[in-house]
Amino acid sequence: MRKLPHITVLFWSMKIAATTLGETGGDLLAQTLRTGYLVSTVVFLAALLIAAVCQLRAGRFHPAIFWIVIALSSTAGTTLSDLMNRTGGIGYPGGAAILSTGLIIVFVIWWRSGQTLDVENVASLRGEVLFWVAILFSNSLGTSSGDFLADSLGLGFRDSATLLAAIMLVLLAAHRFTSANATVLFWIAFVLTRPLGATIGDFLSKPRDHGGLQWGTVWTSAALLATLIGLIAYQIVDLRRHHLSLLPLPVNRRTGAPQEPNGDLVTIGHR
């Protein structure tokens, strides 16, 4: 059975909501509640590990578990990035460079492992593990790159979000009207949704003298959490009416050898 959702408009809407919540939620714990980046990172990584184990052990796609992992990887990525860039003194450009290198290394390992990078067709346990490692790196990178655009380049939160949204529209047009590789376009868009969410979250929560709307991390996080819960509930109901399609048993892309599936096996009878 499929463990990862189909890539639809609903998926992208939930991804942006989850990553925006990750930005404000990370700032809520680390800054507003003053626990600091180190303690916050440890807390979120521990919660992420528990949620990720639940996701990996599940036999099919559970929207609540999947999006909890996405949101926690985003909050952990926020505090981890800020820990590196601010507390560690690396700075936004340095942090973005380090995390970009890490993400590229993950993709190289993923490709050489013989797993498919097409998220909709990930059917092996190893492929799903690599998917979640890439998620953590991409969400951490998104915080650094979002801060780099807004602060280092001086674009501000609103203009940075506008620029990233425009790039997303270009990627959508390329997917719809050109023969560009869909997997490459997906991962570019997936990475960019994180800085998009980061800049939107900062724009909503930061003080007006910092270019924000001054909603605060508490109210912004509460509104985003309510939005995400509503979307999860909608997806659960929708899945009852339109089941996800099944996947064939996974094989190594390079050798054709069978691999350990990451979902429950379903036997389909033949007539």
Side-chain angles (χ1 to χ4, degrees):
M1 297 187 71
R2 189 178 295 271
K3 292 283 298 294
L4 306 180
H6 292 304
I7 309 304
T8 62
V9 173
L10 178 62
F11 171 87
W12 290 113
S13 300
M14 298 178 75
K15 174 63 166 60
I16 293 172
T19 53
T20 307
L21 173 61
E23 179 69 19
T24 59
D27 288 344
L28 172 61
L29 184 60
Q31 299 178 16
T32 305
L33 299 181
R34 299 183 180 181
T35 60
Y37 296 124
L38 177 59
V39 173
S40 298
T41 299
V42 172
V43 170
F44 285 130
L45 285 177
L48 173 61
L49 179 61
I50 294 172
V53 169
C54 292
Q55 166 67 25
L56 292 172
R57 289 176 62 86
R60 60 183 178 85
F61 174 60
H62 295 277
I65 298 176
F66 178 86
W67 291 108
I68 286 173
V69 180
I70 292 288
L72 285 173
S73 68
S74 185
T75 51
T78 296
T79 55
L80 177 61
S81 175
D82 288 340
L83 177 65
M84 293 172 52
N85 301 337
R86 299 176 183 178
T87 305
I90 296 175
Y92 300 136
I98 291 174
L99 292 168
S100 295
T101 302
L103 183 59
I104 291 172
I105 291 173
V106 172
F107 280 133
V108 170
I109 294 173
W110 192 345
W111 177 257
R112 290 182 60 85
S113 70
Q115 311 298 313
T116 178
L117 274 75
D118 182 355
V119 172
E120 283 201 326
N121 291 316
V122 170
S124 69
L125 179 60
R126 181 179 297 181
E128 189 182 357
V129 170
L130 289 167
F131 168 77
W132 288 115
V133 174
I135 295 299
L136 179 59
F137 270 94
S138 68
N139 283 335
S140 302
L141 170 61
T143 298
S144 291
S145 54
D147 290 337
F148 175 72
L149 287 174
D151 296 334
S152 299
L153 296 184
L155 294 180
F157 303 128
R158 184 179 60 184
D159 290 345
S160 296
T162 302
L163 173 62
L164 291 165
I167 296 174
M168 292 286 289
L169 290 175
V170 171
L171 292 173
L172 175 61
H175 175 64
R176 293 291 298 274
F177 303 113
T178 73
S179 58
N181 187 284
T183 300
V184 173
L185 291 177
F186 168 84
W187 279 108
I188 294 175
F190 196 92
V191 171
L192 288 179
T193 54
R194 184 61 186 91
L196 176 62
T199 52
I200 292 175
D202 284 338
F203 176 64
L204 295 174
S205 63
K206 296 298 184 183
R208 290 188 175 88
D209 58 356
H210 284 69
L213 294 181
Q214 203 169 336
W215 289 9
T217 56
V218 175
W219 289 109
T220 304
S221 298
L224 290 167
L225 179 60
T227 300
L228 185 59
I229 290 175
L231 290 172
I232 290 173
Y234 173 81
Q235 188 171 51
I236 291 173
V237 173
D238 186 61
L239 284 174
R240 292 175 180 173
R241 295 179 296 178
H242 308 95
H243 298 292
L244 295 179
S245 60
L246 300 177
L247 289 169
L249 286 173
V251 295
N252 188 291
R253 190 190 72 253
R254 299 165 63 184
T255 66
Q259 297 178 318
E260 182 181 357
N262 63 331
D264 286 340
L265 299 181
V266 178
T267 302
I268 301 177
H270 298 278
R271 293 184 179 180

